[in-house]
Structures are given as structure tokens and as C-alpha cells.
Amino acid sequence: MTLDRIIDDIEPADQKIMQQAREHTSRLVMPHRALGELHLIAERVCGIQRTLEPSVNSKAVLVMAGDHGIAVQGVSAYPQEVTGEMVRTFVRGGAGINVLARHAGTRVLVVDIGIIPDVSDLAGEIAAGTGHFQGENVLIVNKVAKGTMDFTIGPAMTREQAEQSITAGYNVAGDLFEQGVELLGTGDMGIGNTSPSSAIGAVIMGHPVERMTGRGTGVDDEGFGRKCQAIQKGIAVNAPDSEDPVDVLSKLGGFEIGGICGAILAAACFKRPVVIDGLISTAGALLAHAMCPVVAGYMFAGHRSVEQGHQLMLEHMGIRPILDLGMRLGEGTGAALAMPIIEAGVRVFLEVLTFEQAGVSKG
Amino acid sequence: MTLDRIIDDIEPADQKIMQQAREHTSRLVMPHRALGELHLIAERVCGIQRTLEPSVNSKAVLVMAGDHGIAVQGVSAYPQEVTGEMVRTFVRGGAGINVLARHAGTRVLVVDIGIIPDVSDLAGEIAAGTGHFQGENVLIVNKVAKGTMDFTIGPAMTREQAEQSITAGYNVAGDLFEQGVELLGTGDMGIGNTSPSSAIGAVIMGHPVERMTGRGTGVDDEGFGRKCQAIQKGIAVNAPDSEDPVDVLSKLGGFEIGGICGAILAAACFKRPVVIDGLISTAGALLAHAMCPVVAGYMFAGHRSVEQGHQLMLEHMGIRPILDLGMRLGEGTGAALAMPIIEAGVRVFLEVLTFEQAGVSKG
């Protein structure tokens, strides 16, 4: 599928079914809409899945991993090797996302979409005849390249690589939807990746870099200054076209952000809800939204990150975060943690009796 | 147990174990405290349970149900019969709390601590030789009286009844802790019960009634005016002693608020975390806190309710709500919905590898 064809395929979530869902909510045995956002969540899932019998039993979190040329500028508190080391930890099941995914009853699929080290020894196998990757924590290797280029001296990647990262994300998410996944979460791993994320936000939304930039994994004041300067330089050197999301991605990076953008486009194409995580996932979402604004109707924001640019991105797309717990880890942890809340909303919609069924007097 | 003996038994949560837990958190393979409140939650459970191997697998939600004399003043959008009808719905498993409790993997125990109708036909049976009530949704009948008196014309109950409601709540929660429950949620049912809750908050905290009062199940402007006036009249007529929580409870009601207060005291005595729900549960918590301020260390606030007095009560006790989803149902729904988040915090603490175990480079 080309990117243009993908975008052409996307239709808005179904408002008529959402209205029917609201009518059902009003019959539930409780004061009118007394469970607040839980009702909205369920009604949105109805509108996305085009059914009054929504289901989010089958879940997956896609963790897109990539390396970043910008890391050489000292913008992160961690060395670049950590990207690959964490990919190994994900496959072992020992990281934050693995624990929160197990808790939410969801699989983790890690995609090496462009990290520097070779981790193909860890890649999952497809079960014969099924086309499915097997296991709770699976690595899929689909490298666009071994890390992006340093965007302070030129484009992070070519335009072709940007499109390739988006279609790679689209394809892996699309495969999951075809295999029955009903609720997708997005996550990221990549040392240095808050820098391109803040840069993308600054360009797409036209905000000053300092307003979009936070401490990432925890740089000190000096590192924070370096980070803001590097982002400003990268925008000045590359002059990305804010009206052309693929150009913005290619100039600033990274591969995992493109992959997340593609996965979100796939959710909209396949009519499935997608839960985005923090700053990096939301940068991918911002690109998808810039290509096709109705994708916002398919997104849930798992949480509000500590990263200050994150809330601005969510406001830009008109999405309210479900949780606000002072988190800033990435990996898809905010998406996975919100999944039980989304599932709770759906179960309330499906399982609470109506006033009539319960024989309870109305007010 | 007398109330004085109960309060004498309570010790603060263990700060030394919480500090040891913080040290463990700092070794987890992620940027320092990157999962924010999840870490605090887990560390608090460690301090409460006095262990670095906390467990919240065994959970229960106690829904205390009582009727209110104040209901005759037209302070609710629903008729008083709904209290008993909803108790029947709880036992059938068809209400909001049943669905959210199933989702959280917790049982629901409904206590008739003073509703008007006789629902003893629904009461659960104790399995021979075990002392345990059996089943997913169980009713325990332990009536203090058939509803409170109208507090606009005199005390809602006698001082003896107030103490009896607290010890009844203490005893049922204590039984659950003795049977192995590791995490308790509190809930309420009682048409009219936001009025005594707001009244208790106004008296204990010294706030104006209008500041503590909300729309409850959804009264209109006229009903809201009646409700504020009724609360003001009740406080004027009864002149509760704000320094004597049992006096406040006896003057304003209700039995379920006393029961919730007792359950919270039990959590502190038995060294178990307790998740409080919205305005009514938090009024019970406020009474427990007034008797013994260190009980705040055993409480989690499941959510921030739409009821405006709720946030003020939480601030008074120094407790941050976990969720903020525009809910105002009661029944323990906010407590049950937060349980998966508390469990997630505990699992992160127990299951995420350390940097050393994962072989990941530190920053």
C-alpha cells in the first residue's frame, strides 16, 4: 500500500452508532452518565468498531525501536547502547512495558525498525501455516536503516525512508488487526527520541522549541540547554515544510516515530481503537493527524506525560488523556496501563443492567 | 472491640520499609522513578503491609447500604425505594460496582447496615466450618436500624447507634482481613446520602455548606437549593461538636458512613491498604481521620469525584486521587476501578528487572 492509498481508505468514526450507544448508556441502572468518561470511552469504541457489541478482549502493544543520530549531541542522560539493551530486556519480559502489558492481558510486539545493533538472534518465529508471531513478547526485525543521521547537520533520513517507516508500521499493525487484535497500544524505545518528538511538535504546531521540550529520561540543566539548542539548529538547518508531514519526519526523525504514525493510520483503516502513549507516540500521532485529521477519532491517549510538550500535542488533536500519574517512561507503558480502564468502560456498557431489567425506579 | 480500643491499636504505616522500597525502585531498569505515582503506590503498600514483597491479589469491595430520614426533604433525584432495589441489583451482579469489581478481580460484599426494607431473603450463607461468606456478590444483613431519622428536626441517630455502625463496619472488614483480604475497597448505597456527607465535611472542616455540596444523583436547581437549606438547618438544629467525630456522625448520619469509617479503621488496625471511593466513602474516611489522623497513611483515593466537596476532603487528609474520570456514581465504583492501577504499581515493583539483572547500562 502506498501512503496516499492508506490515507484515502480512512473514514471517520461512525457518529450514528455513537449516538445509538449514548441512548443505551442512558438506560443503564445508574444516575444519568454517572460513570463519566467510562461512558464516552465505550461509546467511542462503538463508533470506531461500528457495533453496539464492542470488544477489546484481544489486545496488543507495538513497541517501535529505533536509534537516533542526534544522540551524539549529548541530548540524553543515557548512552546509545541502551536502545539495544532495552530491546533485549523487552524480549526477556523484564521491562516496565512487559509487566504492565501482562497486567492488562496484552501481548508485546517489539519492532526493530531501525536500531544500530543486530538483534536478529532474538527475532520471533512465525508459526507454520498461521502467519502469526508466537509468544507473549516477540521481536520483529524490520530495519529501515541502522539508526537515523544527526539532524543538526542534515536530514535524519531520506523521504523514501520516511515513507518506508510509515508503511512498515502500517503493515505490522495491519497484520495484527487481520489476526483479530481489537485494541492496539503504541510504544517506543530509542535513546534520544524525545528530541525529534519535540522538534516535530514545534514544527507541526508552530510552537517555540523551549515550550515543546522537556527533560526526557532526565538530563540536567546543561543537557537540557544542549537539547534545546540541538533541536533549534536541526529545524534551522533542515527547514522542514510544516505542511508536509513526511518532509517533517524525514528531516527530524525517527524511524520509530514513522512506524507509530503508520500503526495509527492502520488503526483508522481497519476501524480499531488505538491507545497512544507519551511524547514519542504522540509525535507519531501528530504526523498521522496532520495527514488525515479524522484519525483522532480512532485514538485514545493513555495518559498525560510529565513531558511538557505532550499535553500541547493532545490539545492540538482534541484528545483528553485517560490517566495522569506523573509518568515519563515511554515503551507504551501509559498505553498499557490505560487499557484496563478502556476495557472497564466497554464492560460497563455491555454488562450493567438497564433500569427495566433490574426493576429499579427511575428518578 | 470498643471504639477507643480500636483507635489505640492503630500505628502509622512503616516509614523505614517505605524508604527501603524507594531504594529498590531506584534500581529498576528505567529512568529514575519514571513511572511516577505507580512507584509511590507500591512503596506505600510496602509501608502499610510491612514487607518488601507486597501483595494485593486478594481483594474485596465492601458496599455499605443505609437509608436516610433526610430523603423526605426532597434532596435526591431518586425515590427512597431505590436503596433497596439497588441492594437487590448488587446481589444479582448487575450494577456498575459488580461489573467493575469483576473486571478488577474482586468480590463485592454488600452490608445492609440500615436500609428500610427487609432484604434478609437475599442474605448470603456462611460456609460450614469456614466462617466465610461464599460467592462473588454477597449480602450481609447487620441493620443498626431501619434508616436514620430526618436530621433537619433532630439527631439522625443516637450516639450508641453511631458507635454501633462504626464497630459493625470494623467487624465485617476485620473478618475479611482475617480471611486473607489484602486490599479493601469501600462503597456506599443510600438515597439521600450525599446530604449527610456534605454536612459532615462542612462541620469537620469548617467550610460553608454551599462549598461542600453538589448535585448528588442529579437534582435540579430547585432541588439543589432545598438540599443546601436542609443541610444548613440540620447543622443549626443539632449543633454537632466538630471536635467529636462520633457526635458529628450521630447528629447528621448515616449508618453506612459510620460503617465505612469503621472499615477504614480496621484497615489501619490490620495493616492493609484501603481504597476509598467518592464523597460518601470519603466522609467516612474524614471521620476516621478525625479520630486518628495516621489512618490517612492506609488510604488510597480511587478517584476524584465530580462532587465538589470531595476534592476538599481529600486535600484536608493530604491524599491525591488516582483517577479523575468525571465519575459520581458511588457504590465503590471509583475504588474498584483504581484497584487495577494499584495492582499495576505493585507488579512493577515486584516484576521489573533491575539494571543489574537486565545488564543495561546506567545513565
Side-chain angles (χ1 to χ4, degrees), chain B residues 103 171 341:
Chain B
H103 184 55
N171 286 332
I341 306 290

Side-chain angles (χ1 to χ4, degrees), chain B residues 11-320:
Chain B
E11 295 169 13
D14 191 319
Q15 295 294 325
K16 198 174 138 201
I17 289 180
M18 284 175 67
Q19 178 54 35
Q20 290 167 0
R22 277 191 288 273
E23 285 159 21
H24 178 68
T25 297
S26 70
R27 291 187 285 268
L28 300 180
V29 64
M30 58 181 66
H32 186 63
R33 302 188 74 76
L35 288 176
E37 305 262 335
L38 286 194
H39 302 307
L40 281 173
I41 288 169
E43 290 152 6
R44 288 193 57 209
V45 176
C46 290
I48 292 166
Q49 295 184 343
R50 274 75 172 170
T51 176
L52 293 172
E53 293 181 346
S55 175
V56 293
N57 289 323
S58 176
K59 296 180 275 288
V61 176
L62 267 180
V63 184
M64 302 278 179
D67 269 312
H68 295 264
I70 188 69
V72 300
Q73 300 290 340
V75 293
S76 174
Y78 286 83
Q80 194 165 41
E81 295 74 55
V82 168
T83 304
E85 291 167 356
M86 285 306 300
V87 165
R88 289 185 179 273
T89 307
F90 296 151
V91 178
R92 253 177 94 179
I97 183 56
N98 303 107
V99 174
L100 293 178
R102 278 200 292 276
H103 184 55
T106 169
R107 303 174 66 200
V108 174
L109 293 106
V110 185
V111 183
D112 170 6
I113 195 164
I115 70 173
I116 292 171
D118 181 359
V119 288
S120 52
D121 59 305
L122 299 174
E125 289 183 15
I126 296 180
T130 67
H132 296 206
F133 283 96
Q134 300 296 299
E136 192 180 274
N137 307 298
V138 172
L139 175 68
I140 301 166
V141 177
N142 195 348
K143 272 190 210 295
V144 177
K146 291 195 162 205
T148 58
M149 309 293 283
D150 177 357
F151 72 66
T152 64
I153 50 177
M157 64 183 89
T158 65
R159 189 173 180 97
E160 291 66 36
Q161 287 176 324
E163 289 186 357
Q164 193 185 338
S165 70
I166 296 169
T167 50
Y170 174 89
N171 286 332
V172 64
D175 284 350
L176 290 174
F177 294 130
E178 283 182 352
Q179 290 165 21
V181 166
E182 297 164 319
L183 178 65
L184 185 72
T186 69
D188 69 284
M189 181 68 223
I191 294 301
N193 68 7
T194 57
S195 292
S197 301
S198 293
I200 288 168
V203 170
I204 296 271
M205 294 158 62
H207 285 317
V209 166
E210 310 78 49
R211 215 177 150 202
M212 291 304 300
T213 307
R215 299 276 168 155
T217 49
V219 286
D220 56 16
D221 288 350
E222 207 184 310
F224 181 69
R226 273 196 307 273
K227 183 175 173 180
C228 288
Q229 280 173 16
I231 296 170
Q232 275 156 343
K233 190 173 170 198
I235 294 172
V237 163
N238 289 292
D241 176 0
S242 64
E243 301 294 312
D244 178 355
V246 177
D247 187 61
V248 175
L249 174 63
S250 69
K251 300 289 177 57
L252 303 170
F255 300 130
E256 78 275 44
I257 297 173
I260 289 165
C261 169
I264 290 166
L265 294 173
C269 285
F270 284 82
K271 302 180 173 51
R272 293 286 175 267
V274 58
V275 197
I276 59 175
D277 186 23
L279 185 73
I280 295 94
S281 279
T282 309
L286 203 64
L287 293 172
H289 178 264
M291 293 170 191
C292 180
V294 301
V295 298
Y298 292 85
M299 289 183 214
F300 290 96
H303 76 131
R304 183 202 318 268
S305 158
V306 169
E307 279 283 320
Q308 62 183 36
H310 185 232
Q311 175 64 20
L312 296 170
M313 291 178 177
L314 294 179
E315 284 170 9
H316 176 82
M317 297 187 287
I319 307 174
R320 244 183 76 94

Side-chain angles (χ1 to χ4, degrees), chain A residues 61-304:
Chain A
V61 176
L62 267 179
V63 185
M64 303 279 180
D67 269 312
H68 295 263
I70 188 69
V72 300
Q73 300 291 340
V75 293
S76 175
Y78 286 82
Q80 194 164 39
E81 294 75 54
V82 167
T83 304
E85 291 167 354
M86 285 306 299
V87 165
R88 290 185 179 271
T89 307
F90 296 150
V91 177
R92 250 177 97 178
I97 183 56
N98 303 106
V99 174
L100 294 178
R102 277 200 292 276
H103 184 56
T106 171
R107 302 173 68 199
V108 174
L109 293 106
V110 185
V111 183
D112 169 5
I113 194 163
I115 70 174
I116 292 171
D118 181 359
V119 288
S120 52
D121 58 304
L122 299 173
E125 289 183 14
I126 297 181
T130 67
H132 296 208
F133 283 95
Q134 301 295 300
E136 193 181 275
N137 306 299
V138 172
L139 175 68
I140 301 165
V141 177
N142 195 348
K143 271 190 211 295
V144 177
K146 292 196 162 204
T148 59
M149 309 293 283
D150 177 356
F151 71 66
T152 64
I153 50 177
M157 64 183 91
T158 65
R159 188 174 181 97
E160 291 66 36
Q161 287 176 324
E163 289 186 357
Q164 193 185 337
S165 71
I166 295 169
T167 50
Y170 175 89
N171 287 332
V172 64
D175 284 351
L176 290 173
F177 294 131
E178 283 181 350
Q179 290 166 21
V181 166
E182 297 164 319
L183 178 64
L184 185 73
T186 69
D188 70 284
M189 182 67 223
I191 293 301
N193 68 7
T194 57
S195 291
S197 301
S198 293
I200 288 169
V203 170
I204 296 272
M205 295 159 61
H207 286 318
V209 166
E210 310 78 49
R211 215 177 148 202
M212 292 305 300
T213 307
R215 299 275 167 156
T217 50
V219 285
D220 56 17
D221 288 349
E222 206 184 311
F224 181 69
R226 272 197 307 272
K227 183 174 173 181
C228 288
Q229 278 172 19
I231 295 170
Q232 275 155 342
K233 189 172 171 200
I235 294 172
V237 163
N238 289 292
D241 175 0
S242 64
E243 301 294 312
D244 179 355
V246 177
D247 188 60
V248 175
L249 174 64
S250 69
K251 300 290 178 54
L252 303 170
F255 300 129
E256 78 275 44
I257 297 173
I260 290 165
C261 169
I264 290 167
L265 294 173
C269 285
F270 284 82
K271 302 179 171 52
R272 293 287 175 265
V274 58
V275 197
I276 59 175
D277 186 23
L279 185 74
I280 294 94
S281 278
T282 308
L286 203 64
L287 294 173
H289 177 265
M291 294 171 192
C292 180
V294 302
V295 298
Y298 292 85
M299 289 182 213
F300 290 96
H303 77 131
R304 183 202 318 268

Side-chain angles (χ1 to χ4, degrees), chain A residues 29-38 77-79 81-82 85-86 89 92-96 99-100 102-103 217 320 322-329 331 333 337 340-341 343-344 347-348 351-353 355 357-363, chain B residues 29-38 77-79 81-82 85-86 89 92-96 99-100 102-103 217 320 322-329 331 333 337 340-341 343-344 347-348 351-353 355 357-363:
Chain A
V29 65
M30 59 181 65
H32 186 63
R33 301 187 75 75
L35 288 176
E37 305 263 334
L38 285 195
Y78 286 82
E81 294 75 54
V82 167
E85 291 167 354
M86 285 306 299
T89 307
R92 250 177 97 178
V99 174
L100 294 178
R102 277 200 292 276
H103 184 56
T217 50
R320 245 183 75 93
I322 295 173
L323 300 170
D324 186 4
L325 294 169
M327 289 164 45
R328 55 183 176 81
L329 176 54
E331 301 180 359
T333 48
L337 190 62
I341 306 290
E343 198 167 359
R347 292 190 66 171
V348 162
E351 298 178 32
V352 171
L353 298 179
F355 276 96
Q357 287 168 332
V360 170
S361 311
K362 281 210 90 165
Chain B
V29 64
M30 58 181 66
H32 186 63
R33 302 188 74 76
L35 288 176
E37 305 262 335
L38 286 194
Y78 286 83
E81 295 74 55
V82 168
E85 291 167 356
M86 285 306 300
T89 307
R92 253 177 94 179
V99 174
L100 293 178
R102 278 200 292 276
H103 184 55
T217 49
R320 244 183 76 94
I322 295 173
L323 300 170
D324 186 5
L325 294 169
M327 288 163 47
R328 54 184 176 84
L329 177 55
E331 302 179 359
T333 48
L337 191 61
I341 306 290
E343 199 166 359
R347 292 190 66 172
V348 163
E351 298 178 32
V352 171
L353 298 180
F355 276 96
Q357 288 168 332
V360 170
S361 312
K362 281 211 92 165

